[in-house]
Amino acid sequence: MSPLKLPRTLRLDPSDSFVFADAAEPGEWAVTGSFLFWDRDLSNLTGKDRVAFRSGFLGVRSFGFSTLVVVSEASEAERDEAVADLAHHLRERLGAPDQAAALAAAREEIDFAASLCDLPVGTVVAMHRTETDGAIAEAFRTLHQKPGGEDRLHAGARAFRFVETGEDELEERADLVGLARRDRTEP
């Protein structure tokens, strides 16, 4: 039997705390969190809500978002704790009718998250979520360290360098400076 693997939130820099209204803590177990958007008018999402929809994994303990997750080994006890944490939020924040319903939904989300982890431990995963004709679709990409080492122009400029792989070349840009300024001026 292969070891149980689950996604954990990963923070390489402080950008998640700027781009999401609530950022997940690094190292939390995570799910995709698409259920948070099922009953929302996605065409009206703006700012941080839009970023969360497009690229946010949901940390099950904080109920905050993370841009990246890393495939990690988990024990059955850690899996059960992740289910309990998520079930608590489903009941308290989203109004699950009872504990049994919250646990069943949480198990389903954790099981789906585990199904994404049929990758080597340590693999970094990013998500791009879209909506077309009322249906939400998720595309997942693995990120790998760039082969060949440093280039002379940028030697030492970054702690990490990743190259996206996958069929779709999706690109999103975030104006972190603009977001930070807007946060300071909004009431």
Side-chain angles (χ1 to χ4, degrees):
M1 183 173 169
S2 61
L4 174 62
K5 294 185 275 187
L6 293 172
R8 269 191 197 272
T9 58
L10 178 65
R11 189 180 299 173
L12 299 177
D13 61 27
S15 63
D16 281 355
S17 61
F18 298 116
V19 298
F20 299 123
D22 293 307
E25 291 299 319
E28 292 185 54
W29 299 115
V31 296
T32 64
S34 292
F35 60 87
L36 291 174
F37 301 99
W38 286 344
D39 293 334
R40 297 191 60 187
D41 181 358
L42 302 176
S43 64
N44 287 330
L45 292 179
T46 60
K48 294 179 180 190
D49 288 336
R50 184 178 169 120
V51 174
F53 171 73
R54 285 186 175 172
S55 63
F57 286 92
L58 184 67
V60 299
R61 177 159 287 168
S62 69
F63 223 57
F65 290 99
S66 178
T67 303
L68 301 173
V69 294
V70 61
V71 175
S72 304
E73 286 190 22
S75 68
E76 286 296 326
E78 289 171 317
R79 179 194 180 281
D80 293 344
E81 183 179 347
V83 167
D85 286 341
L86 183 55
H88 170 78
H89 289 295
L90 294 176
R91 185 108 193 255
E92 296 299 316
R93 292 180 182 226
L94 301 180
D98 55 44
Q99 187 63 15
L103 284 169
R107 275 190 210 98
E108 186 176 326
E109 290 296 322
I110 295 293
D111 289 346
F112 179 72
S115 77
L116 301 173
C117 294
D118 190 19
L119 299 161
V121 169
T123 301
V124 177
V125 179
M127 173 177 50
H128 183 74
R129 194 181 288 121
T130 58
E131 181 270 333
T132 304
D133 298 325
I136 295 175
E138 299 162 332
F140 301 92
R141 294 169 292 162
T142 58
L143 305 176
H144 302 277
Q145 195 166 14
K146 184 177 181 179
E150 297 289 334
D151 63 354
R152 287 186 180 156
L153 180 61
H154 298 99
R158 297 181 184 153
F160 297 93
R161 185 176 314 149
F162 293 99
V163 177
E164 296 183 17
T165 62
E167 293 180 21
D168 296 327
E169 292 298 322
L170 303 172
E171 182 177 325
E172 277 205 44
R173 299 183 186 270
D175 178 7
L176 297 179
V177 173
L179 287 170
R181 283 187 191 134
R182 188 169 52 231
D183 281 349
R184 282 184 258 167
T185 60
E186 290 179 356

